[in-house]
Amino acid sequence: MAEDKESAENENILAIHRKITAAFEPFDYESKNTVDVREIGTIMYSLDCFPTQADIREFIAEVEENSSGTVHLDRFMPAMTKVLLENKFPPIPRSKIFQAFKVLDKEQKGFVEPEELTKFMMEEGEPFTQEEMDEMLTAHTNRKENVIYYDKLINKLTADAPK
């Protein structure tokens, strides 16, 4: 029994390592098992981890090679494995995101205007850049009505969206 459990745990760790490697490799442009520190957040997001910018900076400080601006897979792998095993940066539940949009949608219309969302996203919490906002608005604004139906947006962004 104990051997079966240990074998299952080892298989789980190997699966996690494969997943991490698959997320890391596309950003290893020189095939040296290294990535630029600026890619770490993107890699973490692709692994369904949703850290804050402060969390990402802290993680980079832990894994960066002597302030070189690069992270080697050998340092990234154990740290990221631990993050995944502990489910350290889980996604925000759909219900919480929906509540946040309801605060912006004072009249409960079911949508927000791009300008209103841009103002909020660029001034509150961890501000988005103009480039990030442009990308999001291009992808999610209803062009005919020039509004963002947040229920549709939330369904696209959340893992626990209704099927």
Side-chain angles (χ1 to χ4, degrees), residues 25 27-34:
E25 283 179 344
F27 298 97
D28 180 12
Y29 303 121
E30 297 176 11
S31 299
K32 294 182 178 178
N33 282 335
T34 59

Side-chain angles (χ1 to χ4, degrees), residues 66-160:
N66 305 316
S67 300
S68 64
T70 62
V71 174
H72 196 280
L73 183 60
D74 289 346
R75 290 181 61 98
F76 184 78
M77 184 68 72
M80 196 66 221
T81 300
K82 184 175 187 238
V83 165
L84 291 173
L85 287 172
E86 293 175 357
N87 194 24
K88 192 169 180 182
F89 305 116
I92 298 168
R94 181 184 193 288
S95 60
K96 278 203 185 263
I97 298 171
F98 194 76
Q99 285 175 323
F101 274 101
K102 290 284 227 185
V103 169
L104 289 177
D105 182 15
K106 292 173 180 43
E107 297 171 19
Q108 307 301 299
K109 301 172 288 195
F111 62 84
V112 293
E113 296 182 9
E115 300 78 23
E116 182 180 17
L117 184 61
T118 299
K119 181 177 178 354
F120 181 78
M121 298 297 284
M122 292 181 71
E123 294 176 4
E124 300 294 327
E126 290 187 36
F128 278 49
T129 65
Q130 186 62 53
E131 182 182 349
E132 290 169 326
M133 284 307 306
D134 291 345
E135 190 176 312
M136 180 171 39
L137 295 175
T138 298
H140 301 292
T141 300
N142 178 302
R143 297 194 201 325
K144 270 188 189 167
E145 301 171 46
N146 195 36
V147 297
I148 298 163
Y149 289 98
Y150 51 85
D151 197 37
K152 289 181 181 180
L153 173 61
I154 294 167
N155 284 342
K156 289 180 185 176
L157 299 178
T158 55
D160 62 338

